[in-house]
Amino acid sequence: MKKWLLNWRLFSLFSVMALLLAGCGKPFLSTLQPAGEVADMQYSLMLLSTAIMVLVIIVVTIIFVYVVVRFRQRKGEEKKIPKQVEGSHTLEIVWTVIPIILLIILAVPTVSATFKLADVKPMNKEKRDKHTVVVNVRANLYWWEFEYPDYGIITSQELVVPTNERVYFNLKASDVKHSFWIPAVGGKMDTNTDNKNQFWLEFDQKATDKAGGIFYGKCAELCGPSHALMDFKVKPLPRADFDQWVEKMKNAKPVVTDSVAKEGEAIFNKSCIGCHAVSPVDKRPEQARTAPNLANFGDRTRIAGILDHNEENLKKWLKDPNSVKPGNKMAGTYGNLTDDQINALTKYLMSLKVE
Ligand code: CUA
C-alpha cells in the first residue's frame, strides 16, 4: 500500500476516535465534569499534574530538537568530535533542583487534599450532630445496599442523599472485594469484607440539575462475570425533599389494591420474601439480608441496576435473571414461573412505591 494512503487512513481513524471519545463527557458520569466538593478537588489535582507533565514534555522536546539540530554531523566534518562536557556542576544542580521544585508543587496540594478528603471526624463523634447524614454502603454480588443507621431505614440499588452538604459513608462488602465509585461526584474507595472504609462526598445541587437529577454509580473492582453490570444510581435531593423522603420511607407499607397485584403478593410472600424485604424498616441482621430491599421498587429508575424501568424488562429479569446479569445469586433460587405468575409478580413489584 502506498505510504501516504496508510498515513491518511491512520489520520482519519484517529480523527474519528477523537470525535467519539469527545462524546464520553456526560454530566451524570464524567469525572471531567465535577459535581461536588470532592470531585472539584480531585479534578484540580488532575489538571495540576497534567499541566506539569505537559510542561516537562514541551521543555524536554525543545531541548531534544535543539541538540539534534545543533550538534548533528555536518558534511566535511565526519571526523570532528565536539567538545566533551562531563560533570558540569551547574547542569547537575539545574536538573536536580527543577524536578524537586516540580515535585513540591505537586506534593503540597496533593497531601493537603488527601487529609481533607480523609476527614471523617463528624461521622465518628460520640454524639454526632443529628443533621449529619451517614450511609452504610454494603456491596454484594452484584447489588448495593444503602442503610441509614440514624433513621432506621434501608434501600437498595438507588442511593438517595441531600445536596450541598457532606454525606458520610461507611463502606463494606459481604462477599468479595468491590469498589464504590460515583465518577462525577468523587471517589473511588474499596469496599472490603474484613474492614470498614470511610469517606465523605458532597453532591452539588446545580450539577445535579444539569445531570438531570441522577448520577451513575459503578463498581470499580473486578468482582465476577457481572462486574461491569454492577451499577447503582444516585438521586441527590434538596435537604427538605430528602427529609420528606426519609419520613415516607419510615412509614412505608405496601398497599396492594389491584387483584392481579394481590396474586403477585401471595406468590412473593410464599418464596421471594425469604431473601427480599418489602419494608424499608428491616430489623434483620445484615447476614440475613441476602437480597436487595424492594420497599420502593416502583420508584426506581432501573431494573436490576441496568435495564430501563418498565414491566417488560421486569418480566425478562424474573423469567431468566442469568441472561441479564450472569452469575447473580437470584438465578436458580426459585423454580420456573408461569407467565401468569410473572405477570402477577410484576404488577405487585411495580406497585411498591413510597413517592
Ligand atoms: Cu462488584 Cu465489580
Side-chain angles (χ1 to χ4, degrees), residues 248-256 278-280 352-354:
K248 281 182 193 158
M249 285 291 274
K250 278 183 184 168
N251 301 306
K253 274 203 183 73
V255 185
V256 188
V278 284
S279 163
L352 297 173
K353 289 182 180 185
V354 304

Side-chain angles (χ1 to χ4, degrees), residues 97-237:
V97 168
I98 291 178
I100 291 178
I101 293 173
L102 290 181
L103 281 181
I104 290 173
I105 295 176
L106 195 58
V108 171
T110 305
V111 172
S112 133
T114 304
F115 277 94
K116 267 186 218 149
L117 296 176
D119 177 20
V120 288
K121 269 183 250 122
M123 76 186 289
N124 293 325
K125 268 195 229 150
E126 192 94 336
K127 265 217 151 124
R128 70 176 163 240
D129 186 343
K130 69 176 197 300
H131 213 70
T132 310
V133 176
V134 173
V135 184
N136 296 341
V137 174
R138 193 162 60 98
N140 310 269
L141 293 164
Y142 301 93
W143 59 280
W144 298 86
E145 181 182 81
F146 306 111
E147 178 186 17
Y148 301 75
D150 296 341
Y151 310 127
I153 55 173
I154 291 175
T155 187
S156 298
Q157 299 294 70
E158 299 199 353
L159 168 68
V160 181
V161 284
T163 51
N164 295 343
E165 61 182 87
R166 290 185 179 185
V167 179
Y168 294 85
F169 295 92
N170 283 311
L171 306 169
K172 56 185 169 180
S174 48
D175 33 43
V176 298
K177 194 190 279 271
H178 305 265
S179 184
F180 179 77
W181 190 27
I182 307 169
V185 184
K188 56 204 176 247
M189 193 172 269
D190 276 4
T191 62
N192 299 332
T193 49
D194 47 3
N195 76 310
K196 189 172 69 181
N197 283 334
Q198 298 185 314
F199 78 162
W200 61 272
L201 294 171
E202 191 251 351
F203 304 78
D204 182 64
Q205 182 64 57
K206 273 196 201 123
T208 304
D209 296 338
K210 197 175 153 208
I214 286 188
F215 292 112
Y216 284 24
K218 298 261 164 202
C219 174
E221 178 75 52
L222 187 60
C223 54
S226 284
H227 153 71
L229 307 173
M230 192 173 157
D231 289 7
F232 60 97
K233 300 287 171 286
V234 188
K235 292 180 182 167
L237 301 173

Side-chain angles (χ1 to χ4, degrees), residues 307 311-321 323-324:
L307 302 175
E311 294 197 356
E312 199 186 320
N313 281 334
L314 179 52
K315 285 175 191 167
K316 185 174 156 194
W317 167 244
L318 290 172
K319 203 167 184 86
D320 186 7
S323 71
V324 177

